[in-house]
Coordinates of all heavy atoms in Angstrom, one line a residue:
N1 N 12.3 6.4 -1.0 CA 11.8 6.6 -2.4 C 10.3 6.2 -2.5 O 10.0 5.1 -2.6 CB 12.6 5.6 -3.3 CG 12.3 5.8 -4.8 OD1 11.7 6.9 -5.2 ND2 12.5 4.8 -5.6
L2 N 9.5 7.2 -2.4 CA 8.1 7.1 -2.4 C 7.5 7.1 -3.7 O 7.6 8.1 -4.5 CB 7.5 8.2 -1.5 CG 6.1 7.9 -1.0 CD1 5.9 6.8 -0.1 CD2 5.6 9.3 -0.2
S3 N 6.9 6.0 -4.2 CA 6.4 5.9 -5.5 C 4.9 6.0 -5.7 O 4.2 6.0 -4.6 CB 6.8 4.6 -6.2 OG 6.0 3.5 -5.6
E4 N 4.3 6.2 -6.8 CA 2.9 6.2 -7.0 C 2.2 5.0 -6.7 O 1.2 5.0 -5.9 CB 2.6 6.5 -8.5 CG 2.9 7.9 -9.0 CD 2.4 8.1 -10.4 OE1 1.3 7.9 -10.7 OE2 3.2 8.5 -11.3
D5 N 2.9 3.9 -6.8 CA 2.4 2.6 -6.4 C 2.3 2.5 -4.9 O 1.3 1.9 -4.3 CB 3.2 1.4 -6.9 CG 3.0 1.1 -8.5 OD1 2.0 1.6 -9.0 OD2 3.9 0.5 -9.0
D6 N 3.3 3.0 -4.2 CA 3.3 3.0 -2.7 C 2.1 3.8 -2.2 O 1.5 3.3 -1.2 CB 4.6 3.6 -2.2 CG 5.8 2.8 -2.5 OD1 5.7 1.6 -2.7 OD2 6.9 3.4 -2.6
I7 N 1.8 4.9 -2.8 CA 0.7 5.8 -2.3 C -0.6 5.1 -2.6 O -1.5 5.2 -1.8 CB 0.8 7.2 -2.9 CG1 2.2 7.9 -2.5 CG2 -0.4 8.0 -2.5 CD1 2.5 9.2 -3.2
N8 N -0.7 4.5 -3.7 CA -2.1 3.9 -4.2 C -2.2 2.7 -3.2 O -3.4 2.5 -2.9 CB -2.0 3.5 -5.6 CG -2.2 4.6 -6.5 OD1 -3.0 5.6 -6.3 ND2 -1.5 4.6 -7.7
T9 N -1.2 1.9 -2.9 CA -1.3 0.8 -2.0 C -1.7 1.3 -0.7 O -2.6 0.6 0.0 CB 0.0 0.0 -2.0 OG1 0.3 -0.4 -3.2 CG2 -0.1 -1.1 -1.0
F10 N -1.1 2.3 -0.2 CA -1.5 3.0 1.1 C -2.9 3.4 1.2 O -3.6 3.0 2.1 CB -0.5 4.2 1.3 CG -0.9 5.0 2.4 CD1 -0.8 4.6 3.7 CD2 -1.3 6.4 2.2 CE1 -1.1 5.4 4.8 CE2 -1.7 7.1 3.2 CZ -1.6 6.8 4.6
L11 N -3.5 4.0 0.1 CA -4.7 4.5 0.1 C -5.7 3.3 0.1 O -6.8 3.3 0.5 CB -5.0 5.4 -1.0 CG -4.4 6.9 -0.8 CD1 -4.6 7.7 -2.0 CD2 -5.1 7.5 0.4
L12 N -5.3 2.2 -0.6 CA -6.2 1.0 -0.7 C -6.3 0.4 0.7 O -7.4 0.0 1.0 CB -5.4 0.0 -1.8 CG -6.3 -1.2 -2.2 CD1 -7.5 -0.8 -3.0 CD2 -5.4 -2.2 -3.1
F13 N -5.2 0.4 1.4 CA -5.2 -0.1 2.7 C -6.2 0.7 3.6 O -7.0 0.2 4.4 CB -3.8 -0.2 3.3 CG -3.8 -0.7 4.7 CD1 -3.7 -2.0 5.0 CD2 -3.8 0.2 5.9 CE1 -3.6 -2.6 6.3 CE2 -3.8 -0.2 7.1 CZ -3.8 -1.6 7.4
V14 N -6.1 2.0 3.5 CA -6.8 2.9 4.5 C -8.2 2.9 4.1 O -9.2 2.9 4.9 CB -6.2 4.2 4.4 CG1 -7.0 5.3 5.3 CG2 -4.7 4.3 5.0
N15 N -8.6 2.9 2.8 CA -10.0 3.2 2.4 C -10.7 2.0 2.2 O -11.9 2.0 2.0 CB -10.0 3.9 1.1 CG -9.8 5.5 1.2 OD1 -10.0 6.0 2.4 ND2 -9.4 6.1 0.2
N16 N -10.2 0.7 2.2 CA -10.8 -0.5 2.0 C -10.4 -1.5 3.0 O -9.5 -2.2 2.8 CB -10.6 -1.1 0.6 CG -10.9 -0.1 -0.5 OD1 -12.1 0.0 -0.9 ND2 -10.0 0.7 -0.9
K17 N -11.2 -1.6 4.1 CA -10.8 -2.5 5.2 C -10.9 -4.0 4.9 O -10.3 -4.8 5.5 CB -11.7 -2.3 6.5 CG -13.1 -2.6 6.3 CD -14.0 -2.2 7.6 CE -15.3 -2.6 7.5 NZ -15.6 -4.1 7.4
D18 N -11.6 -4.4 3.8 CA -11.9 -5.7 3.6 C -10.9 -6.2 2.4 O -10.9 -7.4 2.0 CB -13.3 -6.0 3.0 CG -14.3 -5.7 4.1 OD1 -13.9 -6.1 5.3 OD2 -15.4 -5.3 3.8
I19 N -10.0 -5.3 1.9 CA -9.0 -5.6 0.8 C -7.6 -5.8 1.5 O -7.1 -5.0 2.3 CB -9.0 -4.6 -0.2 CG1 -10.3 -4.5 -0.9 CG2 -7.9 -4.9 -1.2 CD1 -10.5 -3.5 -2.1
E20 N -7.0 -7.0 1.2 CA -5.6 -7.3 1.6 C -4.6 -6.5 0.6 O -4.9 -6.6 -0.5 CB -5.3 -8.7 1.7 CG -6.2 -9.4 2.9 CD -5.8 -10.9 2.9 OE1 -5.4 -11.5 2.0 OE2 -6.0 -11.4 4.1
I21 N -3.6 -6.1 1.2 CA -2.5 -5.5 0.3 C -1.2 -6.3 0.5 O -1.0 -6.8 1.5 CB -2.3 -3.9 0.6 CG1 -1.7 -3.8 2.0 CG2 -3.5 -3.1 0.5 CD1 -1.0 -2.6 2.3
P22 N -0.4 -6.3 -0.5 CA 1.0 -7.1 -0.5 C 2.0 -6.2 0.3 O 2.2 -5.0 -0.1 CB 1.3 -7.3 -1.9 CG 0.7 -6.1 -2.6 CD -0.6 -5.8 -2.0
L23 N 2.6 -6.8 1.2 CA 3.8 -6.1 1.8 C 5.0 -6.8 1.2 O 5.2 -8.0 1.2 CB 3.8 -6.4 3.3 CG 3.1 -5.2 4.2 CD1 3.3 -5.6 5.7 CD2 3.6 -3.9 3.9
T24 N 5.9 -6.0 0.8 CA 7.3 -6.5 0.1 C 8.4 -5.7 0.7 O 8.2 -4.7 1.5 CB 7.3 -6.3 -1.3 OG1 7.3 -4.9 -1.7 CG2 6.0 -7.0 -2.0
Q25 N 9.6 -6.2 0.5 CA 10.8 -5.6 1.0 C 11.0 -4.2 0.2 O 11.7 -3.4 0.7 CB 12.0 -6.4 0.9 CG 12.0 -7.7 1.7 CD 13.4 -8.3 2.0 OE1 14.4 -7.6 2.0 NE2 13.4 -9.5 2.3
Q26 N 10.2 -4.0 -0.9 CA 10.3 -2.8 -1.7 C 9.4 -1.8 -1.1 O 9.7 -0.6 -1.1 CB 10.0 -3.1 -3.1 CG 11.1 -3.7 -3.9 CD 11.3 -5.2 -3.5 OE1 10.3 -6.0 -3.3 NE2 12.5 -5.7 -3.3
N27 N 8.3 -2.2 -0.6 CA 7.3 -1.1 -0.2 C 7.1 -1.0 1.3 O 6.4 -0.2 1.8 CB 5.9 -1.4 -0.9 CG 5.2 -2.6 -0.3 OD1 5.5 -3.2 0.7 ND2 4.1 -3.0 -1.0
V28 N 7.7 -2.0 2.0 CA 7.4 -1.9 3.5 C 7.9 -0.6 4.2 O 7.2 -0.1 5.1 CB 8.0 -3.2 4.2 CG1 9.5 -3.2 4.2 CG2 7.5 -3.3 5.7
L29 N 9.0 -0.1 3.8 CA 9.6 1.1 4.4 C 8.8 2.3 4.1 O 8.3 3.1 4.9 CB 11.0 1.3 4.1 CG 11.7 2.5 4.8 CD1 11.7 2.1 6.3 CD2 13.2 2.5 4.4

């Protein structure tokens, strides 16, 4: 179940090396 939040978090991780993202049991997969 891929959500908009998952994709935005993914792009935040890829495009911003200095920003930490939260990993949770909901978004880790």
Side-chain angles (χ1 to χ4, degrees):
N1 184 23
L2 197 59
S3 70
E4 289 184 55
D5 284 344
D6 295 330
I7 297 171
N8 284 324
T9 301
F10 168 68
L11 287 175
L12 192 63
F13 177 86
V14 173
N15 280 340
N16 300 273
K17 68 181 181 64
D18 295 325
I19 294 180
E20 293 183 332
I21 64 165
L23 273 183
T24 68
Q25 294 201 25
Q26 286 69 44
N27 72 11
V28 67
L29 190 58

